[in-house]
Amino acid sequence: MHPFRKAVEAHDLGAVEAMLAEDVVFTSPVAFKPYPGRPLTAAILRAVTEVFTEFRYVREMASDDGLDHALVFVAKVGDREINGCDFLHMNEAGEIDDLMVMVRPLSAAQALAAAMGARFEQISREASAG
């Protein structure tokens, strides 16, 4: 089991943040441009733990070299079930330097976009303070 998965499942957001490279790039399933940096990525991940309920990983895949991982999950956003995948890339130091999330179906992605959009001012403040 990947350490990121273990930390997420244990709700250990400090451990999740510690795994992020300083220059990590987060690619959101509902935003056009990626978000750079550990403070902003960590703030986004904290917010999404408030948005998702009944979150659980159901499958995990890794590349032969161990640098790329795909963690398939299911969760709820409000009353919508969402299916998604966290794609992780590890740098040579073993830190996550790229985190891309994809989700389906469209109705759940739209609910996620609305819920995260409502929190983005708070996310930005947290990232700036951190």
Side-chain angles (χ1 to χ4, degrees):
M1 182 182 302
H2 193 277
F4 181 84
R5 177 180 177 174
K6 281 184 185 177
V8 169
E9 289 178 342
H11 306 285
D12 187 348
L13 298 178
V16 169
E17 185 171 352
M19 289 180 223
L20 302 175
E22 191 61 43
D23 63 347
V24 64
V25 174
F26 176 78
T27 304
S28 166
V30 294
F32 177 73
K33 66 180 176 103
Y35 298 103
R38 181 188 295 154
L40 185 52
T41 299
I44 290 168
L45 294 175
R46 283 190 298 273
V48 84
T49 65
E50 298 170 4
V51 170
F52 283 160
T53 59
E54 300 178 33
F55 181 92
R56 68 189 186 286
Y57 285 112
V58 295
R59 193 170 346 159
E60 182 175 335
M61 294 153 273
S63 61
D64 289 339
D65 63 9
L67 296 178
D68 292 287
H69 302 269
L71 306 173
V72 180
F73 64 84
V74 294
K76 285 192 139 188
V77 178
D79 63 348
R80 305 267 182 202
E81 184 168 297
I82 194 164
N83 306 101
C85 190
D86 293 335
F87 294 96
L88 313 175
H89 181 268
M90 313 301 288
N91 64 20
E92 291 179 8
E95 301 167 319
I96 299 167
D97 64 359
D98 187 63
L99 172 54
M100 177 175 61
V101 180
M102 298 186 128
V103 297
R104 63 160 304 281
L106 179 59
S107 61
Q110 290 168 328
L112 177 62
M116 291 299 289
R119 289 169 169 76
F120 215 79
E121 190 174 309
Q122 173 191 339
I123 291 168
S124 297
R125 280 195 308 269
E126 279 185 35
S128 295

